[in-house]
Amino acid sequence: MSTPLQDILAQRIRDNGPLNIGEFMAEALTHPQHGYYMDKDPFGRAGDFTTAPEISQMFGEMIGVWAADLWQLMGAPESFIWLECGPGRGTLSADALRATRHVPGFHEAAEIHLLEASPVLKKAQAQALAGFKPVWHETLETLPAGKPLILIANEFLDALPIRQMLKTAKGWEERVVATDIGGTGLVYASRDLTSEDRARIPTHITGTPEGTIFEFSPARDLFIKAVCRCLREHGGAALFIDYGYERSAPGETLQAVRAHEYVPVLSKPGESDISAHVDFGQLLRTARDSGVHTLGPVPQGRFLQTLGIGLRAQTLAQKASSVQREELEKALHRLTDSAQMGALFKVAGLYYGTKTVPTGF
Ligand code: SAH
């Protein structure tokens, strides 16, 4: 059984030729009618996947502590932009803001802005953040000018489209999505690389065997450059938390998840979450080339421990029932343990204009 989006994409490929992986990923996630994120709430046990803020309130609370501390280090500006990118259900911002409500002046100074593509999730965010009058954006270009920025993005960069190069018998080519012989199924193929794209292959990976895949993400690079522009113009910091790797390296990380199981990437586009691990090495290089200071990446577990998640869990446990205490313990392990999310998930910070370095690194 094909999906409506598969039929649309197959038609487009028959008319105009194959799509690169980035084009496929963008359509699969954000096609206006059938994109995965556009018409559903994918989170939680009944959904397709669970994220850190949905595991425990402690995650957002720690980010709140980080941000309030940073705001004070920045000299407690009277007004700043709190921007969360890809806020999902709005849980992280809601927990962060609740945790900081007693920080004198912080809420008065915070203007809440959200970068979000999904109409369904915007509604959930409006509910979670009722009272904070959030303003939504689809691009950084529409953010108000003249105010420092505190940007938070958890599991956002992994949703920005990547492209793939494939080492074939003929050398490096671009991996693309084509149609099968019947003209309706989607299959992988490859085609020549442009010389501009060829120049992206790091020299240390040129001698790799046939079948090797190298991922790159012009969309992420552009986004990071735009964030750096905002930071350079108005000061502030950005925090990126995501699954990913520290050093640019070959290997396929593109994945599709449905109902908490991995599924083939090209099957049922629009009905599974497609993402790819973040190349933190590339992220930090792009930021440094854009004239912004960088921190990390550090493992999520260490970052949360440094901010005091252990102590927070103890405080919450004091007022909890034994069942709740068990849940707290489980959540703490899930977020911080190296065998769970603690090491695969990493945290990188970018900052500019603040003499003081953000904490947690
Ligand atoms: N940060 C949340 C949700 C992560 S899922 C959490 O941790 O629970 C990814 C989020 O990014 C969703 O809100 C999705 O709708 C949004 N998103 C994905 N691609 C986007 C894009 N191109 N522009 C804006 N938002 C996007």
Side-chain angles (χ1 to χ4, degrees), residues 278-333:
V278 172
D279 179 346
F280 279 97
Q282 172 66 13
L283 186 162
L284 297 182
R285 257 192 315 279
T286 305
R288 282 195 292 267
D289 290 349
S290 305
V292 162
H293 305 293
T294 65
L295 296 164
V298 295
Q300 169 175 299
R302 204 176 93 199
F303 182 77
L304 294 173
Q305 299 283 12
T306 308
L307 293 177
I309 196 169
L311 208 60
R312 179 65 185 142
Q314 278 174 20
T315 310
L316 287 170
Q318 280 165 9
K319 290 186 210 141
S321 66
S322 62
V323 175
Q324 288 169 327
R325 262 203 296 280
E326 222 170 273
E327 274 170 11
L328 270 170
E329 192 70 19
K330 249 200 235 154
L332 181 65
H333 277 293

Side-chain angles (χ1 to χ4, degrees), residues 30 37 43 51 53 84 86-88 116-118 121 154-156 159-160:
T30 53
Y37 279 115
F43 305 102
T51 57
E84 186 178 353
E116 177 56 67
S118 159
L121 293 176
N154 184 61
E155 290 206 39
F156 170 70
L160 297 188

Side-chain angles (χ1 to χ4, degrees), residues 52-66:
E54 301 300 331
I55 290 172
S56 167
Q57 66 183 72
M58 295 186 288
F59 186 79
E61 289 172 349
M62 290 302 113
I63 306 293
V65 167
W66 178 86

